[in-house]
Amino acid sequence: MTENDSRSPSTAQSHASASPRRRELSVEDYFNGVRAGEMPVLARALTLIESNSPRHQLLAEDLLTRLMPYTGGAVRVGVTGAPGAGKSTFIEALGLHLVRSGLRVAVLAVDPSSGLTGGSILGDKTRMSGLAAERNAYIRPSPSAGTLGGVARKTRETMLVCEAAGYQVVLVETVGVGQSETMVADMTDCFLAIMLPGAGDELQGIKRGLLELVDVIAVNKADGPTRAAAELAAVQYNVALKSLSGRSDEDDAPVVLTCSALHHQGVNAVWDAIHQRQARHAATGKLADRRRRQNLRWLWSLVEDRLRHAIHTHPAVQAIREPLERQVLTGAIPPEVAARQILEAFGLARS
């Protein structure tokens, strides 16, 4: 199921404030509604989380603090892939397999943003109509809004709220550009790459950075005339992984499988590989250690983001920003000198 409002968070909030019948919820209301799995309250809680309003951010922090004891129980899976690989088709097929197995599934589909409105462009809800109709599935499309790596700014927080609402599997789909692979791998338990059939130079994604991150590779479209090509691609991915991934732990070696998301073939085997890896890492303590390290990196990422925002919005910095930028652009002063002046204007003493 999806929330009814597919617009950007800022647009949705403006509409909500204009409606005389939509009362403002307290943190207690949000908490109780999320824990009860009430879809309208969950949608509003996620809009609150994504809001840039300082007042909303304080409410969101309070809500997240209250929900934290009820998070951590889901399997967190990041999904990436080259354009045309069939990410959305695969996610829908996997989601349907999971809900029909009795699990509750949340899909955080991060769409590229419109440069004009900031809203989502692709509209994953319309591309996963079958999954969206399932009672135990929830799809949340969020615009990347220019965030580095194509990952929505509040994806981590959104994932925690969905876990607190009782979703047992959270799938994070990226736009598959820039640094999205690194960012999604750093917030999930398992990183899944959907690949296209191909051979030789047509193989997609054979690069050390991706191979160091990926846990499971699913070569999609292994049906009809492309079945043989998919099977060949799987063999070549296995060879590449063994020679380039640099992983010494055989038990942690990435798994390569073939599937056909369109025909729902092999999708259950991909989930079995993810689930078995999750269970193995939970038993050995690797899962808990991975999440602890992710939380620390998340902490410092937030500190850096907020510090950057504070510097950019500081009145003294704003007063000298444009002249300094012009001097850097013309080569009148080196960037190091401009950076020192900005930090001094912000109030940081010269070291």
Side-chain angles (χ1 to χ4, degrees), residues 259-308:
C259 68
S260 171
L262 184 63
H263 298 288
H264 294 238
Q265 296 172 350
V267 175
N268 57 332
V270 175
W271 170 249
D272 289 342
I274 294 171
H275 188 259
Q276 289 167 13
R277 183 182 181 281
Q278 185 86 355
R280 186 169 63 250
H281 283 195
T284 60
K286 285 185 177 180
L287 178 62
D289 182 60
R290 177 173 177 141
R291 289 185 174 184
R292 282 193 293 266
R293 286 185 281 109
Q294 287 176 345
N295 282 339
L296 278 181
R297 288 191 289 270
W298 181 15
L299 162 66
W300 287 107
S301 174
L302 289 171
V303 170
E304 290 166 5
D305 285 346
R306 294 184 184 184
L307 182 58
R308 186 181 299 109

Side-chain angles (χ1 to χ4, degrees), residues 114-344:
S114 164
L116 296 176
T117 66
S120 300
I121 294 175
L122 298 179
D124 280 277
K125 291 195 294 185
T126 60
R127 293 187 289 132
M128 301 181 195
S129 56
L131 183 60
E134 292 287 337
R135 181 178 180 84
N136 287 323
Y138 180 74
I139 301 174
R140 176 76 178 190
S142 298
S144 58
T147 306
L148 179 64
V151 178
R153 187 171 56 89
K154 295 300 182 92
T155 300
R156 291 178 177 88
E157 291 90 335
T158 299
M159 184 164 53
L160 293 177
V161 175
C162 288
E163 288 182 352
Y167 289 93
Q168 298 150 302
V169 181
V170 179
L171 306 175
V172 182
E173 179 190 9
T174 78
V175 296
V177 296
Q179 296 181 355
S180 60
E181 289 92 354
T182 300
M183 296 184 72
V184 172
D186 204 30
M187 67 176 72
T188 54
D189 305 326
C190 182
F191 187 50
L192 168 66
I194 309 299
M195 297 298 192
L196 288 162
D201 293 337
E202 294 177 359
L203 282 174
Q204 303 293 317
I206 291 295
K207 54 185 179 180
R208 182 175 294 274
L210 176 60
L211 296 179
E212 289 174 346
L213 296 172
V214 71
D215 299 302
V216 179
I217 288 179
V219 183
N220 194 18
K221 304 186 180 181
D223 53 66
T226 57
R227 180 187 294 275
E231 292 173 352
L232 176 59
V235 171
Q236 294 183 326
Y237 282 124
N238 262 317
V239 172
L241 285 166
K242 289 178 181 178
S243 62
L244 296 177
S245 70
R247 300 191 190 185
S248 57
D249 188 351
E250 286 295 324
D251 290 336
D252 206 28
V255 177
V256 182
L257 300 164
T258 61
C259 68
S260 171
L262 184 63
H263 298 288
H264 294 238
Q265 296 172 350
V267 175
N268 57 332
V270 175
W271 170 249
D272 289 342
I274 294 171
H275 188 259
Q276 289 167 13
R277 183 182 181 281
Q278 185 86 355
R280 186 169 63 250
H281 283 195
T284 60
K286 285 185 177 180
L287 178 62
D289 182 60
R290 177 173 177 141
R291 289 185 174 184
R292 282 193 293 266
R293 286 185 281 109
Q294 287 176 345
N295 282 339
L296 278 181
R297 288 191 289 270
W298 181 15
L299 162 66
W300 287 107
S301 174
L302 289 171
V303 170
E304 290 166 5
D305 285 346
R306 294 184 184 184
L307 182 58
R308 186 181 299 109
H309 177 73
I311 291 174
H312 278 284
T313 57
H314 193 280
V317 172
Q318 289 180 328
I320 65 172
R321 176 175 174 173
E322 288 189 13
L324 284 177
E325 287 180 344
R326 283 196 298 270
Q327 292 180 72
V328 170
L329 284 171
T330 60
I333 61 173
E336 172 115 0
V337 172
R340 175 180 55 77
Q341 292 183 30
I342 287 172
L343 292 175
E344 288 179 348

Side-chain angles (χ1 to χ4, degrees), residues 16 19-26 28-30 41 44:
S19 172
R21 294 179 296 174
R22 198 175 193 188
R23 71 178 182 87
E24 186 169 337
L25 300 180
S26 66
E28 188 73 17
D29 293 330
Y30 281 119
V41 178
R44 291 181 65 177

Side-chain angles (χ1 to χ4, degrees), residues 9-70:
S10 59
T11 304
Q13 288 155 13
S14 298
H15 180 77
S17 62
S19 172
R21 294 179 296 174
R22 198 175 193 188
R23 71 178 182 87
E24 186 169 337
L25 300 180
S26 66
V27 171
E28 188 73 17
D29 293 330
Y30 281 119
F31 175 80
N32 291 332
V34 168
R35 290 292 298 138
E38 297 175 10
M39 195 72 67
V41 178
L42 173 61
R44 291 181 65 177
L46 296 183
T47 299
L48 176 76
I49 294 291
E50 294 172 349
S51 173
N52 291 321
S53 162
R55 185 174 66 86
H56 288 169
Q57 288 176 354
L58 290 175
L59 288 173
E61 288 177 8
D62 191 1
L63 175 62
L64 283 170
T65 300
R66 294 198 57 184
L67 291 175
M68 280 300 289
Y70 307 96

